[in-house]
């Protein structure tokens, strides 16, 4: 086997290994503290949760303006959606716990699987959305 062939095979193996890790990683995300970040046109939203798991979950959010200062919002809601099963639950209003920090307690995820958490940020006449995909175990 030539050196060039060995190099090509090694590169293919490394590529497959890296791709496999990207596929496996979401299954590993169901345990321990989960932290995710998403951006809207105006805000950066960080989601924190333990789990996530089937049943009641608590979701914490840190929301900042693009300059890093805490966001001043009129309302933050989240809506759990499970697209593959056609489930969508009514939005849950998150309570403000500190400047730029919000918490939604007892948010139900009815079954295990992938859930999209749609977060709506409202201020005056503006509404923006961020979305997070989580695996509930």
């Amino acid at each position: 086997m030539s050196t060039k062939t060995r190099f090509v095979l090694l590169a293919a193996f490394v590529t497959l290994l890296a791709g496999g890790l990207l596929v496996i990683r979401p299954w590993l995300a169901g345990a321990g503290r989960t932290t995710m970040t998403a951006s809207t046109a105006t805000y950066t939203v960080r989601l924190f949760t333990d789990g996530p798991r089937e049943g009641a979950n608590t979701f914490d959010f840190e929301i900042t303006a693009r300059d890093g200062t805490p966001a001043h919002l009129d309302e933050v809601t989240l809506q759990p959606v499970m697209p593959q099963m056609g489930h969508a639950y009514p939005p849950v209003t998150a309570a403000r716990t500190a400047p730029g920090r919000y918490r939604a307690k007892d948010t139900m995820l009815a079954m295990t699987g992938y859930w999209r958490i749609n977060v709506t940020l409202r201020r005056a006449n503006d509404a923006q959305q961020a979305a997070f995909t989580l695996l509930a175990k």
Side-chain angles (χ1 to χ4, degrees), residues 2 67 91 125 128 131:
S2 72
D67 65 3
N125 294 326
Q128 297 181 33

Side-chain angles (χ1 to χ4, degrees), residues 110-124:
M111 61 179 21
T112 60
Y114 284 98
W115 287 85
R116 187 175 67 232
I117 306 300
N118 294 325
V119 182
T120 302
L121 315 171
R122 289 187 177 84
R123 181 174 183 193

Side-chain angles (χ1 to χ4, degrees), residues 89-136:
Y89 292 93
V92 175
T93 301
R96 185 173 179 251
T97 60
R101 294 188 177 264
Y102 298 83
R103 172 173 282 173
K105 288 184 174 182
D106 299 324
T107 302
M108 292 302 293
L109 302 179
M111 61 179 21
T112 60
Y114 284 98
W115 287 85
R116 187 175 67 232
I117 306 300
N118 294 325
V119 182
T120 302
L121 315 171
R122 289 187 177 84
R123 181 174 183 193
N125 294 326
D126 183 45
Q128 297 181 33
Q129 280 202 333
F132 301 91
T133 300
L134 303 171
L135 175 62

Side-chain angles (χ1 to χ4, degrees), residues 17-34 36 51-53 82 84 112-115 133-137:
L17 181 62
L21 289 175
L22 288 175
V23 170
I24 292 171
R25 188 170 181 260
W27 279 280
L28 301 176
R33 187 81 166 154
T34 298
M36 303 176 90
R53 61 191 162 279
M82 188 180 226
Q84 65 270 34
T112 60
Y114 284 98
W115 287 85
T133 300
L134 303 171
L135 175 62
K137 291 191 173 188

Side-chain angles (χ1 to χ4, degrees), residues 4 16 20 24 40 49 59 65 76-77 95 99 109 114 123 127 135-136:
K4 184 177 179 180
L16 288 172
I24 292 171
T40 70
T49 189
F59 294 99
V76 174
T77 59
L109 302 179
Y114 284 98
R123 181 174 183 193
L135 175 62

